[in-house]
Amino acid sequence: AIDFYLTDHLGKTTSSQLMVQCLPNKKIKAILSYQLIDSSQLNNWVFRLDGSACEKPDGKIIAYYFTVDGVEKQSSQSILNWVFHTRGEHIISLYAMDDLNQLSDTVTQKIFIP
C-alpha cells in the first residue's frame, strides 16, 4: 500500500491509499519456426526464420537474436529471411530480450537441405 498526502493552496491536507500489486517479470518463452520460401535459383534456398510466436505476457519483446550456422543477427523484428547456399544440415537458434533486458532461453533447430 502507498499512502498519498495532498495539500492544496489553502493548506488543507487530504490523504488517500493506493494498493499496488507487484509481480515478478515473467521470462520470455522463445518459439522458433522456419519455412522455405524460395528455391528457384541454383544453390540458393531462402528461408523465413520466424520468432513471432514468442510469448511475453507482461511487457514487450524489444530484440530478437537469430543465429544461423554460428552467425548472429540482432533485430527488432521477429522475422528474418536467410539465404543458404549449401546443401546439408544447418543449425538455427533464437533468443529474445524484453523491455527490462531479461533474456529468454535459447531455442535451437536443424534445417536439412537435401
Side-chain angles (χ1 to χ4, degrees), residues 46-112:
V46 182
F47 277 81
R48 174 170 289 129
L49 310 181
D50 189 346
S52 64
C54 290
E55 297 173 0
K56 176 66 178 162
D58 62 346
K60 68 182 211 172
I61 300 171
I62 61 168
Y64 298 85
Y65 297 86
F66 294 92
T67 303
V68 181
D69 293 334
V71 177
E72 185 174 89
K73 296 288 183 183
Q74 187 258 340
S75 175
S76 61
Q77 303 299 313
S78 62
I79 295 177
L80 175 71
N81 289 341
W82 189 273
V83 180
F84 293 97
H85 300 288
T86 58
R87 296 180 184 276
E89 185 176 271
H90 300 278
I91 307 296
I92 61 171
S93 299
L94 170 70
Y95 67 94
M97 183 171 58
D98 70 11
D99 51 349
L100 295 175
N101 295 331
Q102 184 177 14
L103 301 176
S104 71
D105 291 331
T106 300
V107 293
T108 301
Q109 294 191 21
K110 294 178 182 179
I111 296 175
F112 185 76

